[in-house]
Amino acid sequence: MNYFSRQAMMLNNNYQSISLNISLLVFVFFWGLVMVEIVPQCVWRINVDIPEEANQNLSFGATERWWEQTDLTKLIISNNKLQSLTDDLRLLPALTFLDIHDNQLTSLPSAIRELENLQKLNVSHNKLKILPEEITYLRNLKGLYLQHNELTCIPEGFEQLSSLEDLDLSSNRLTTVPASFSSLSSLVRLNLSSNQLKSLPAEISRMKRLKHLDCNSNLLETIPSELAGMESLELLYLRRNKLHSLPQFPSCRLLKELHVGENQIEILGAEHLKHLNSILVLDLRDNKLKSVPDEITLLQSLERLDLSNNDISSLPYSLGNLHLKFLALEGNPLRTIRREILNKGTQEVLKYLRSKIRDDGPTQSDSVTETAMTLPSESRINVHAITTLKILDYSDKQTTRIPDEVFDAVKSNIITSINFSKNQLCEIPKRIVELKEMVSDVNLSFNKLSFISLELCMLQKLTFLDLRNNFLNSLPEQMESLIRLQMINLSFNRFKILPEVLYRIPTLETVLISNNQVGSVDPQKMKMMENLTTLDLQNNDLLHIPPELGNCVNLRTLLLDGNPFRVPRAAILMKGTAAILEYLRDRIPT
Ligand SMILES: *[C@@H]1O[C@H](CO)[C@@H](O)[C@H](O)[C@H]1NC(C)=O
Ligand SMILES: *[C@@H]1O[C@H](CO)[C@@H](O)[C@H](O)[C@H]1NC(C)=O
Ligand SMILES: *[C@@H]1O[C@H](CO)[C@@H](O)[C@H](O)[C@H]1NC(C)=O
Ligand SMILES: *[C@@H]1O[C@H](CO)[C@@H](O)[C@H](O)[C@H]1NC(C)=O
Ligand SMILES: *[C@@H]1O[C@H](CO)[C@@H](O)[C@H](O)[C@H]1NC(C)=O
Ligand SMILES: *[C@@H]1O[C@H](CO)[C@@H](O)[C@H](O)[C@H]1NC(C)=O
Ligand SMILES: *[C@@H]1O[C@H](CO)[C@@H](O)[C@H](O)[C@H]1NC(C)=O
């Protein structure tokens, strides 16, 4: 059994990795504990000296005498307080991996040039102000991680790091990158984010293998047009810069993600889109776009489109033909799409846009004349909602009576939802019964209802009922015939008890009756509600919680905060439903 990794030595203060390194435990644990400020001599000399422990003890078998077999190839001295490294580094010429991230190094020793075998060097999170020129001798270096330092420039000859594939220079103080940089022809990933770059050299386009380029959070005002020739580019981040126009990418046929959010881009034209054959993510948020061209439909692979916080007032309906998983439009002065539809999320918005294509032909965009129909007005009815969304919507009109023309507009359409919320209704409109065979969802919240009329009880498909913020203090027995009701929201009403009829609707899964004056619940009857999983009784007048409520084992969410009872105490309530139920069960008198 080998308890230690033969070629690695860790001197970090990460105890997990230390514990893997049992043979070095004495040694490493000690240094790990105190956070080394200098690297002990014996580390540098590990290839030269035979460690004392060998003589001291722990009988190592021949195979485990690692220091005799092989030179150290990995050295991890991260997360310490090292301020410098000495030229003794040259005593470890076999190193392939040197990890010194999270220290306080202000420079690297020039002996670094002798680590000819080094493939990965992690110096991130230090205080490097410059890099020694000697670093350019590391011809085998594949990964160089310099993020979060204080570098202001890149040394002469850096391009000689011809094996470099991965270079992270993010979060430094670079103001330019030299043109010669672009001779790093093996580079696959380049991170320049969070620097102070005002421009990129056109030569960067010579990095023919580059797949990921991150230039977020710089001061870029333009992008060299040559960037367009980067054939391998897959991810391009240009967020948080000062770009006024979008680059074009005629050769970037593999580009999958383009992030140009938080710039000052005003125009999105067909020419910007037509080559983005592979694009999956297009982030244009927080810019100054006024419109989106019809050609957006060319982006058939697009999955995420973020247009939020622009100046877009109209959208091409053809957008509805894209197979988007995510479409963000908030913060735009859109005239035609109602907030209500926007709030329903991507799929509903796309559905809406598609429905308009059918109405108006494939190429037509929305225009001012059509907005009249969708702008809320006293008398207009949202016919579109009826025909495509199956919603009879007459909400937020502050009306005391739903006009007949609202019901007339249904005609032969199927309606599954009714939304009469935010009006002044004292009574549920009788004509609701005309929809009794179809409607599953009724929203009567924010009205002035003090009773429920029998017409509502006839909606045999009713599944979700929102009655919050009314003046109700009872529910009629006839509600028992709502044999599909799963969820009822009675919050902010005037109930003094949990209405009896609810116990007899076994399909109920969610009962929300917070912010009433409920003084008692019947645990025996409640237990019969076999599918009840959520019961919200917050902010009521419960003086006593019956222990038998603990038998309602199907409850997953029981909310009792804001009631005047003394037990269970707050500490128990905070532990969640399972703990409350268990506590209650333990107190059931036997
Ligand atoms: C040290 O190792 C030797 C064998 O290599 C063994 O004989 C001796 O008992 C060990 N000493 C201690 C203190 O364990
Ligand atoms: C380099 O160190 C940073 C921490 O400063 C760490 O997040 C990163 O994963 C390391 N990179 C590699 C390739 O080891
Ligand atoms: C670039 O570096 C930043 C900061 O270190 C990091 O948040 C970002 O994920 C990196 N970009 C890529 C594409 O890995
Ligand atoms: C009903 O209308 C209100 C106000 O207009 C809105 O907030 C709500 O999302 C609408 N939808 C449903 C299904 O109640
Ligand atoms: C009912 O309408 C109100 C606002 O009028 C809204 O806040 C609520 O989310 C709607 N209920 C449902 C279940 O959609
Ligand atoms: C029920 O109504 C209350 C009060 O308006 C609200 O806070 C809560 O989110 C509603 N619950 C659901 C699931 O609609
Ligand atoms: C309870 O829920 C299950 C699963 O959804 C369902 O099959 C069953 O019919 C429900 N019981 C009642 C009484 O509604």
Side-chain angles (χ1 to χ4, degrees):
M1 271 264 280
N2 246 328
Y3 288 105
F4 50 85
S5 100
R6 234 175 237 184
Q7 292 127 359
M9 167 164 295
M10 298 196 179
L11 256 177
N12 61 4
N13 62 356
N14 172 343
Y15 298 104
Q16 265 175 341
S17 39
I18 288 163
S19 63
L20 290 173
N21 236 330
I22 290 180
S23 75
L24 295 171
L25 200 60
V26 182
F27 194 80
V28 170
F29 197 73
F30 176 74
W31 296 111
L33 208 63
V34 296
M35 278 230 191
V36 294
E37 291 183 16
I38 54 162
V39 179
Q41 257 308 302
C42 50
V43 173
W44 301 132
R45 301 186 59 80
I46 196 116
N47 294 335
V48 184
D49 299 345
I50 293 177
E52 267 173 62
E53 298 100 295
N55 303 329
Q56 270 175 10
N57 224 10
L58 300 165
S59 56
F60 290 104
T63 54
E64 288 164 338
R65 294 158 79 93
W66 56 283
W67 55 88
E68 289 175 3
Q69 294 175 7
T70 171
D71 285 350
L72 195 68
T73 58
K74 287 189 182 177
L75 178 59
I76 303 170
I77 334 179
S78 56
N79 300 89
N80 281 291
K81 289 182 171 173
L82 300 176
Q83 292 175 1
S84 64
L85 292 178
T86 66
D87 274 337
D88 289 335
L89 199 59
R90 65 163 60 91
L91 297 173
L92 300 174
L95 281 186
T96 58
F97 180 73
L98 176 57
D99 188 350
I100 38 183
H101 79 253
D102 273 286
N103 278 289
Q104 293 169 14
L105 299 173
T106 51
S107 64
L108 291 174
S110 48
I112 192 127
R113 62 178 289 177
E114 289 174 45
L115 303 185
E116 286 177 357
N117 295 300
L118 205 59
Q119 295 180 12
K120 272 194 184 182
L121 174 57
N122 195 343
V123 207
S124 60
H125 288 271
N126 275 283
K127 299 183 169 185
L128 299 182
K129 289 192 164 47
I130 55 168
L131 290 173
E133 211 174 303
E134 286 78 4
I135 203 167
T136 65
Y137 288 82
L138 303 177
R139 301 293 157 77
N140 288 308
L141 201 61
K142 290 200 167 80
L144 178 54
Y145 307 94
L146 293 162
Q147 64 269 34
H148 293 274
N149 276 285
E150 297 167 14
L151 299 172
T152 51
C153 65
I154 289 164
E156 206 60 32
F158 196 77
E159 68 278 8
Q160 293 169 48
L161 295 172
S162 52
S163 303
L164 210 55
E165 293 172 5
D166 217 348
L167 175 58
D168 195 337
L169 282 162
S170 62
S171 297
N172 275 284
R173 298 174 186 171
L174 302 175
T175 51
T176 55
V177 279
S180 60
F181 203 66
S182 48
S183 307
L184 295 171
S185 56
S186 306
L187 213 57
V188 179
R189 283 170 294 271
L190 173 58
N191 197 336
L192 292 167
S193 67
S194 300
N195 277 286
Q196 292 154 27
L197 302 176
K198 289 207 171 81
S199 63
L200 291 175
E203 290 80 1
I204 203 166
S205 63
R206 298 216 305 261
M207 296 180 170
K208 291 293 181 207
R209 297 204 188 144
L210 199 66
K211 289 187 182 170
H212 301 180
L213 176 57
D214 190 339
C215 295
N216 280 349
S217 302
N218 275 286
L219 305 167
L220 300 173
E221 291 177 10
T222 57
I223 293 298
S225 58
E226 287 80 0
L227 207 70
M230 302 185 75
E231 297 152 6
S232 304
L233 208 57
E234 291 178 7
L235 306 184
L236 178 56
Y237 291 85
L238 294 166
R239 299 189 69 179
R240 260 170 266 122
N241 276 286
K242 298 179 179 302
L243 302 176
H244 287 273
S245 63
L246 199 66
Q248 294 180 28
F249 303 95
S251 302
C252 304
R253 298 196 181 272
L254 300 175
L255 197 61
K256 291 191 173 65
E257 297 192 17
L258 175 57
H259 299 263
V260 286
E262 295 180 63
N263 277 286
Q264 294 158 26
I265 299 169
E266 291 176 12
I267 294 174
L268 178 65
E271 67 278 16
H272 300 119
L273 301 174
K274 65 183 175 200
H275 302 291
L276 302 176
N277 305 356
S278 311
I279 198 96
L280 299 173
V281 178
L282 184 52
D283 160 21
L284 290 158
R285 61 173 300 142
D286 292 280
N287 275 290
K288 297 180 170 173
L289 298 177
K290 294 202 167 52
S291 64
V292 176
D294 246 335
E295 285 77 4
I296 191 94
T297 44
L298 296 174
L299 310 185
Q300 278 301 316
S301 51
L302 197 61
E303 292 181 354
R304 299 179 67 85
L305 175 59
D306 192 343
L307 292 167
S308 42
N309 302 326
N310 276 284
D311 290 331
I312 301 168
S313 57
S314 73
L315 281 176
Y317 296 142
S318 54
L319 194 61
N321 287 331
L322 290 177
H323 311 288
L324 296 176
K325 294 188 176 131
F326 172 86
L327 169 63
L329 292 169
E330 60 268 13
N332 280 291
L334 285 172
R335 272 186 272 110
T336 41
I337 308 187
R338 296 175 51 141
R339 179 146 307 281
E340 181 192 319
I341 296 170
L342 291 178
N343 288 347
K344 287 198 162 144
T346 300
Q347 297 317 319
E348 292 297 328
V349 173
L350 295 177
K351 205 155 96 185
Y352 170 82
L353 291 169
R354 277 197 300 278
S355 75
K356 300 298 266 183
I357 299 175
R358 262 175 251 123
D359 294 354
D360 307 311
T363 54
Q364 197 179 343
S365 186
D366 53 347
S367 65
V368 183
T369 50
E370 284 159 24
T371 56
M373 191 188 93
T374 48
L375 282 172
S377 83
E378 260 315 285
S379 56
R380 300 293 283 205
I381 295 145
N382 192 346
V383 177
H384 165 71
I386 295 177
T387 55
T388 63
L389 304 175
K390 305 191 168 75
I391 299 183
L392 185 58
D393 183 358
Y394 203 78
S395 61
D396 213 358
K397 303 279 194 289
Q398 299 308 324
T399 181
T400 54
R401 200 181 148 271
I402 305 294
D404 274 332
E405 52 176 318
V406 173
F407 289 100
D408 294 342
V410 174
K411 301 211 182 94
S412 59
N413 289 292
I414 304 277
I415 293 292
T416 57
S417 303
I418 294 177
N419 192 351
F420 293 158
S421 72
K422 294 203 173 152
N423 282 302
Q424 310 271 342
L425 305 177
C426 297
E427 204 177 326
I428 296 174
K430 300 221 177 327
R431 287 190 65 183
I432 206 170
V433 76
E434 293 169 19
L435 308 170
K436 66 181 174 148
E437 255 130 55
M438 328 190 254
V439 168
S440 60
D441 204 328
V442 171
N443 195 343
L444 287 161
S445 64
F446 299 93
N447 276 291
K448 297 184 167 175
L449 303 175
S450 55
F451 68 99
I452 299 295
S453 56
L454 298 186
E455 283 79 8
L456 185 79
C457 306
M458 295 165 82
L459 301 182
Q460 47 189 268
K461 297 237 165 98
L462 191 60
T463 314
F464 305 99
L465 178 55
D466 196 341
L467 289 168
R468 73 177 88 153
N469 298 74
N470 277 287
F471 301 151
L472 300 168
N473 60 21
S474 67
L475 296 178
E477 291 302 309
Q478 288 84 347
M479 275 182 78
E480 205 174 346
S481 50
L482 296 175
I483 54 167
R484 305 229 174 145
L485 193 62
Q486 287 177 8
M487 135 114 168
I488 189 164
N489 198 341
L490 297 168
S491 301
F492 292 97
N493 275 284
R494 296 175 178 181
F495 292 97
K496 293 201 159 61
I497 57 164
L498 194 75
E500 280 288 319
V501 63
L502 293 183
Y503 295 117
R504 297 202 302 279
I505 308 180
T507 46
L508 271 173
E509 293 171 5
T510 303
V511 174
L512 307 169
I513 189 164
S514 67
N515 297 283
N516 280 277
Q517 297 144 36
V518 174
S520 67
V521 290
D522 185 333
Q524 258 74 36
K525 291 180 183 162
M526 181 91 57
K527 189 162 183 293
M528 307 306 286
M529 303 175 74
E530 57 179 46
N531 278 1
L532 188 67
T533 55
T534 303
L535 176 61
D536 184 353
L537 281 162
Q538 293 177 94
N539 304 319
N540 276 290
D541 291 343
L542 295 168
L543 274 167
H544 168 70
I545 302 297
E548 293 79 6
L549 197 61
N551 288 330
C552 297
V553 289
N554 292 328
L555 280 177
R556 292 286 166 269
T557 310
L558 171 63
L559 303 172
L560 295 170
D561 286 331
N563 280 285
F565 60 79
R566 311 191 76 197
V567 286
R569 295 201 176 274
I572 305 283
L573 295 187
M574 270 164 55
K575 287 189 187 163
T577 302
I580 299 173
L581 295 179
E582 192 185 326
Y583 171 89
L584 291 171
R585 271 198 304 281
D586 286 347
R587 295 169 56 95
I588 298 176
T590 44

